[in-house]
């Protein structure tokens, strides 16, 4: 004969379901968030007086001659767009075999200008 009452079965089921939900929430919170722009994350230096830093959270910091400007960035394929002090700029980039990054200014209205305006080479610091 079954010694568990209907009330204790419901209580047991509630505990099991609650534990499973808590475990699922914990595991999903600990899982890394896949991002397409992870290789871009880090600090990139053009020269001793000019660098860009990209954070996984979408924060962008531009340093020029020890002056810092903080903004945000987004990545869409091989183009990243920064917004700093309300000014939006887009750049086309690719990673070089030597670990550096080739960056060109990108104009959405005139995509053929890319490459004709020159490029900047950045090397990753961290």
């Amino acid at each position: 004969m079954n010694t568990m009452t209907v009330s204790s079965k419901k209580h047991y089921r509630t505990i099991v379901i609650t534990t499973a939900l808590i475990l699922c929430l914990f595991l999903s919170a600990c899982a890394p968030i896949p991002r397409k722009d992870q290789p871009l994350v880090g600090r990139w230096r053009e020269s001793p007086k000019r660098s860009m830093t990209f954070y996984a959270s979408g924060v962008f910091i531009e340093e020029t001659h020890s002056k810092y400007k903080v903004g945000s960035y987004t990545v869409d394929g091989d183009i990243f767009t920064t917004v700093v002090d309300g000014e939006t700029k887009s750049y086309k980039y690719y990673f070089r075999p030597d670990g550096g990054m080739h960056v060109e200014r990108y104009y959405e209205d005139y995509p053929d200008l890319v490459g004709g305006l020159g490029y900047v080479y950045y090397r990753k610091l961290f």
Side-chain angles (χ1 to χ4, degrees):
M1 190 159 165
N2 191 351
T3 59
M4 286 184 97
T5 65
V6 174
S7 175
S8 63
K9 284 183 182 179
K10 286 182 180 179
H11 182 68
Y12 177 74
R13 190 176 330 156
T14 302
I15 291 173
V16 169
I17 291 172
T18 303
T19 304
L21 286 173
I22 291 171
L23 184 61
C24 286
L25 289 173
F26 176 75
L27 291 176
S28 65
C30 292
I33 299 170
R35 294 182 60 116
K36 295 178 185 176
D37 57 340
Q38 282 297 338
L40 192 60
V41 171
R43 185 169 184 201
W44 296 86
R45 178 170 281 169
E46 174 192 352
S47 68
K49 300 195 183 257
R50 183 169 169 80
S51 68
M52 300 185 298
T53 305
F54 299 88
Y55 292 92
S57 63
V59 173
F60 171 77
I61 299 176
E62 181 179 41
E63 178 188 0
T64 307
H65 300 286
S66 299
K67 294 180 182 175
Y68 296 89
K69 293 182 179 178
V70 179
S72 63
Y73 77 96
T74 57
V75 177
D76 185 17
D78 62 346
I79 296 171
F80 69 86
T81 303
T82 63
V83 179
V84 178
D85 293 336
E87 185 179 1
T88 302
K89 293 181 182 177
S90 294
Y91 301 89
K92 191 167 192 157
Y93 74 100
Y94 69 86
F95 298 107
R96 298 166 43 130
D98 63 1
M101 179 171 55
H102 177 104
V103 179
E104 301 174 355
R105 184 71 194 273
Y106 178 78
Y107 297 92
E108 191 172 305
D109 296 336
Y110 306 101
D112 294 336
L113 285 178
V114 173
L117 301 174
Y119 70 93
V120 178
Y121 173 73
Y122 286 87
R123 62 186 176 89
K124 193 167 190 172
L125 298 177
F126 67 82

